[in-house]
Amino acid sequence: MRYLKISSSGVWQFRFQLPPHHRHLFQNRREIKVSLGTSSRDAALLQALELELNIRKKIATSSYIDEHQVKPEVTEYYERPKRFPCNLKPSVALDEYFGYKKTHVSEKTALGSYMKCKVALELLNKPSIPLIRRKDAEQVRKLLSAYPSNIKKHKAFDGLTGSEVIKLNQNLGYQVLSEDSVKDYFQKLSSFFKWCVQMEYTDTNPFEGFRFVRKKKASEEKQAYSKGNLALIFQQAIFAEHKFKHPYQYWLPLLARFSGARLNELCQLYVADIQEIDDIWCIHINDNQEDKRLKNVGSRRFVPIHSALIDLGFLTYINNLNTDRVFQELKLERDGYGTSASKWYGRFKSKLGFSKGLDFHSFRHSFANDLKQVMTPQLITAQLLGHSTQNVTYDRYGKDLGISLLKESLELISKEEVIFVKPF
């Protein structure tokens, strides 16, 4: 009988228990053990099936198999990494991967993955992709744990190699990468090597299957605004007295508070995205224009407009616009339309004394938390936020919930922290 088991080092092991009446064909062994030399489960399954087939062929033909006949097949799999035909340099593979990645995600996301992979590959300094194995991934994990965070902010590291940076920081003592940051590096490296395996540049993904200890609950990793925080934000002159330079400075925080939408989803809105469905005004979050981008397919959704936004004059603002876009003053940049708005809000929240963990995205967490506290069903909250339910029945077969049902739940978001002044 065939068994597959992954070792503590992340390499799959093959075991085949031999029936007593066939053991004489295998030097009276009880079982055959083979290290498959890969951390990829799919690759391990293929190799295991091939090994099992060879064993069963020997049994079926009742031919004698001595130790020297079995070992070559085992050795072939164990030593294959050394004889892998591709000698592609890691930097060349990474450049190619970057080009591929840009066709599937935003350039900013692709560049983030590229830079983290580049740091790790330079730390390893291997001449070719196939030579990077599991033990090298273990080494990278240790090196990254000693690698300083925010390295670009420290001029002392300019022009140094990764190894030199780590050595220098032993004396300087700057803060190093957190466990969560190292985990993020490994996730991006694993994605890169998964692509390399698919491209047949190597036979294994050495960064797959690593375990990292979670030190915080998922709900503690991101900060939401408290009621006090929200009251402080919305009592500022921007909202209480309509003192602002650009309309987005007034509307974006309010829209985020009462819709839970991401910053760029709001910044890229067109007037045509404000639609009335079944007598309910909604925001249609989509990527139906070339200048729009969404995090993923599930982000496409309709979000009912909260009564607080209507009372504050949002529909009046929309009706008075003579432009195609809701916030025409925001210009398209590399990361979308949200760059200027993000910088503005960063300055705004810093003046209010908010810590690093509280930012524009915290409105989204506040939105989700408020719905959670009133026991809103997860399915409703997921659709309002544009999240997958991780349930094939609902994600694949179920249709979107009705707008009226979403509206009913959305209205549970409190508007008591907002100061209502004369609408626009």
Side-chain angles (χ1 to χ4, degrees):
M1 184 176 294
R2 168 172 51 88
Y3 293 95
L4 272 178
K5 182 179 179 181
I6 193 165
S7 69
S8 59
S9 62
V11 177
W12 285 96
Q13 309 289 325
F14 169 85
R15 294 175 59 194
F16 190 93
Q17 292 184 347
L18 296 167
H21 54 286
H22 288 311
R23 290 174 185 169
H24 69 282
L25 300 174
F26 301 89
Q27 296 285 21
N28 291 321
R29 298 179 184 179
R30 291 177 176 271
E31 66 178 5
I32 294 177
K33 297 180 182 179
V34 182
S35 174
L36 299 179
T38 180
S39 58
S40 169
R41 187 174 185 276
D42 291 339
L45 282 171
L46 290 174
Q47 294 184 27
L49 289 170
E50 189 174 350
L51 276 172
E52 182 180 5
L53 180 62
N54 289 334
I55 293 170
R56 291 190 181 279
K57 281 182 178 179
K58 296 294 183 182
I59 292 174
T61 57
S62 297
S63 60
Y64 178 76
I65 300 179
D66 61 19
E67 183 178 0
H68 295 291
Q69 287 175 299
V70 175
K71 268 192 171 181
E73 297 171 357
V74 173
T75 305
E76 176 188 353
Y77 288 102
Y78 188 75
E79 294 184 349
R80 183 179 294 172
K82 298 179 182 179
R83 301 204 304 266
F84 200 78
C86 178
N87 291 313
L88 191 66
K89 291 183 178 179
S91 59
V92 176
L94 185 58
D95 287 343
E96 187 177 336
Y97 175 70
F98 179 51
Y100 158 81
K101 194 76 172 174
K102 286 191 294 183
T103 64
H104 292 77
V105 298
S106 68
E107 185 171 351
K108 179 183 179 182
T109 300
L111 184 60
S113 297
Y114 172 85
M115 294 305 298
K116 289 187 175 181
C117 291
K118 183 179 180 181
V119 168
L121 293 175
E122 288 179 348
L123 285 172
L124 282 176
N125 194 29
K126 292 281 185 174
S128 69
I129 284 289
L131 292 178
I132 300 176
R133 314 307 293 178
R134 188 72 173 190
K135 63 180 181 179
D136 300 308
E138 291 282 2
Q139 181 186 359
V140 166
R141 184 174 185 167
K142 294 177 182 178
L143 292 172
L144 288 175
S145 296
Y147 197 80
S149 58
N150 298 317
I151 188 172
K152 291 184 178 180
K153 293 184 179 180
H154 308 297
K155 293 184 178 180
F157 300 128
D158 289 352
L160 300 181
T161 65
S163 299
E164 291 170 342
V165 164
I166 292 173
K167 186 176 181 179
L168 177 59
N169 197 50
Q170 291 175 349
N171 296 323
L172 298 179
Y174 289 123
Q175 183 176 353
V176 297
L177 295 174
S178 66
E179 183 84 351
D180 287 340
S181 294
V182 175
K183 179 181 178 181
D184 188 50
Y185 272 80
F186 266 62
Q187 288 173 341
K188 289 173 171 55
L189 284 161
S190 182
S191 296
F192 167 55
F193 272 87
K194 181 179 180 181
W195 174 84
C196 286
V197 171
Q198 293 171 343
M199 296 297 293
E200 299 182 355
Y201 294 154
T202 187
D203 66 323
T204 186
N205 179 356
F207 293 91
E208 184 179 46
F210 274 84
R211 294 184 178 181
F212 291 83
V213 178
R214 182 183 288 274
K215 297 181 179 179
K216 294 181 179 180
K217 295 192 300 183
S219 60
E220 296 174 340
E221 292 180 349
K222 301 293 185 179
Q223 294 191 42
Y225 286 122
S226 66
K227 290 185 178 296
N229 295 149
L230 293 170
L232 177 60
I233 291 171
F234 293 117
Q235 74 181 18
Q236 300 304 307
I238 289 176
F239 309 100
E241 303 173 28
H242 288 182
K243 290 185 177 180
F244 51 82
K245 184 177 181 180
H246 301 291
Y248 73 79
Q249 296 169 345
Y250 177 85
W251 286 116
L252 286 178
L254 287 167
L255 285 166
R257 168 60 184 148
F258 293 113
S259 73
R262 301 177 179 91
L263 177 61
N264 200 60
E265 290 175 343
L266 297 171
C267 291
Q268 67 186 11
L269 285 174
Y270 276 67
V271 173
D273 296 328
I274 311 304
Q275 302 173 12
E276 189 175 17
I277 300 176
D278 298 334
D279 297 324
I280 296 174
W281 282 99
C282 302
I283 298 172
H284 187 198
I285 296 174
N286 60 71
D287 54 354
N288 59 8
Q289 302 279 351
E290 289 186 1
D291 58 346
K292 291 182 178 182
R293 61 184 69 170
L294 296 178
K295 185 173 183 179
N296 50 53
V297 175
S299 298
R300 298 170 187 158
R301 64 196 186 278
F302 285 93
V303 180
I305 297 177
H306 196 287
S307 59
L309 293 170
I310 296 175
D311 293 343
L312 289 166
F314 182 64
L315 294 180
T316 303
Y317 166 74
I318 294 296
N319 290 332
N320 289 335
L321 289 173
N322 57 4
T323 60
D324 292 334
R325 289 185 41 246
V326 174
F327 304 113
Q328 190 68 27
E329 62 273 19
L330 295 175
K331 305 303 179 184
L332 181 62
E333 300 185 43
R334 187 195 69 178
D335 299 329
Y337 283 106
T339 303
S340 295
S342 178
K343 291 178 180 178
W344 164 78
Y345 189 80
R347 296 190 296 269
F348 172 76
K349 67 101 175 179
S350 295
K351 289 180 181 178
L352 298 182
F354 292 140
S355 62
K356 183 179 180 181
L358 290 170
D359 52 26
F360 193 91
H361 206 68
S362 295
F363 285 117
R364 185 169 168 85
H365 292 287
S366 298
F367 181 89
N369 181 60
D370 285 0
L371 291 178
K372 181 178 180 179
Q373 297 308 316
V374 294
M375 301 296 289
T376 303
Q378 181 183 356
L379 185 61
I380 293 177
T381 303
Q383 186 167 324
L384 287 169
L385 291 172
H387 286 162
S388 167
T389 63
Q390 301 299 317
N391 184 310
V392 68
T393 302
Y394 283 128
D395 286 343
R396 179 175 293 275
Y397 299 105
K399 301 302 181 182
D400 288 345
L401 298 171
I403 294 297
S404 59
L405 181 59
L406 296 177
K407 173 73 168 176
E408 181 181 347
S409 297
L410 185 80
E411 289 295 330
L412 296 174
I413 300 294
S414 173
K415 54 185 178 183
E416 63 183 18
E417 300 91 2
V418 176
I419 297 176
F420 285 84
V421 296
K422 184 178 178 180
F424 287 88

